Structures are given as structure tokens and as C-alpha cells.
Amino acid sequence: MTDTERHTKLLYWTGVALGPLAWGINLQGIYTLAHFSCESTRFSGAIMSAVLAGIALAGTAISARAVRRGAGAEWSDAHGGGPRTFMAWLGVGSGVLFALVIADQLAASLLISPCLR
């Protein structure tokens, strides 16, 4: 395996993993910051959610770039490039899905008071 192949495989996995990773960090971060948000009104949870939604969308962009790159590889690769293209499309879909979930959690954290326990 050459360094170029290793680098492209890392890009495919990065695109697939950034969305769920950003959502997990956002979920735990919102629960952690809820206690402190009740004491003083701060938008640290909203800022964190916005940044993490951007990270999930960055994973989508990485996967979309891999889809564009893999379109030409289907013709030149003896194996057809099917698994890599599938993985790239999976990264695009999961990145968009997790960015929407983070946006939903952001809306809920802005609408519901953290002091209502």
C-alpha cells in the first residue's frame, strides 16, 4: 500500500467518522453545560453546537470530494471502485444527517430553559 492510497483511505474514513463524532461530543457537551447554563445565561452551548455542526458538514464536504475523485477511479480501477464510492456516499449522508441532529439539539437548547429540572 502506497502513501497515496493510505492518505485517500484516511480521507474516506474521516468523512464517515466526523458526523457521528461531532454529534457525540455535542450531546455530552450540552448535558455537561446544562448545569452551568442555569446559573448564568451564556451561549456557550449554542456556540459549541454551531461549531460542531460545521465540523459535521466539513465531513460531508470531505466525503463529497471523495465521491468526485472516485468517479474517475471507477474507470481506471480494476475492481470498479464500488466500495470506496459507497463509503463516500455514506459519509455524505451521515454528515448531513448528523448536522441536522445537531441543529435540532441546538434549537432545543435555545428554546427550553436548562433550569427546568
Side-chain angles (χ1 to χ4, degrees), residues 9 25 30 36 52 62 71 78 87 93 96-97 99 106 110 113 116:
K9 286 185 180 182
I25 292 171
I30 285 176
F36 301 112
L52 289 171
I62 290 171
M87 191 171 180
V96 170
L97 178 70
L106 170 65
L110 290 176
S113 173
L116 298 174

Side-chain angles (χ1 to χ4, degrees), residues 84-98:
R84 288 182 298 204
T85 305
F86 173 74
M87 191 171 180
W89 279 113
L90 182 70
V92 169
S94 69
V96 170
L97 178 70
F98 281 106

